[in-house]
Amino acid sequence: MMGENDKADETVERGIESFADKAAEKEIRELTDFENAIDETLATGYLDETLTVTDSDGVAQVLPVLDSEPISHLVEGLEDIGGKANVYVHTADGVVALSVVEYDPETAK
């Protein structure tokens, strides 16, 4: 049988899980909105001058991230696209463009 403390603990746990779920959903929406904005801006050609990094096939890989994301997301994204990317970071002050010319997970270990 559950005591009062157990019930209170369970209620707190559900509240924390709900808050975490809502925060994760908000971040996913923000990232999706930012990715869409970057895609739309890329389509206009406005960012062409900032696309200084290309892969071995000559493709300018683009990686949009939020400044609220853990750095591990950036590293995973770089690994997924081969270690070179034009990174756009959404911050409270605007968008920052970074050129990552080489990230090699083998040498990072």
Side-chain angles (χ1 to χ4, degrees), residues 39-72:
D39 286 345
E40 290 173 13
T41 306
L42 285 168
T44 68
Y46 182 76
L47 295 176
D48 286 355
E49 289 184 23
T50 67
L51 299 174
T52 59
V53 179
T54 57
D55 64 15
S56 58
D57 296 324
V59 176
Q61 297 291 340
V62 173
L63 181 61
V65 296
L66 303 175
D67 66 351
S68 59
E69 292 182 80
I71 193 73
S72 61

Side-chain angles (χ1 to χ4, degrees), residues 63 65 68-80 103:
L63 181 61
V65 296
S68 59
E69 292 182 80
I71 193 73
S72 61
H73 288 182
L74 171 62
V75 171
E76 289 168 6
L78 288 169
E79 289 174 355
D80 290 345
Y103 170 74

Side-chain angles (χ1 to χ4, degrees), residues 85-96:
N86 298 281
V87 179
Y88 295 95
V89 184
H90 186 271
T91 73
D93 296 326
V95 177
V96 176

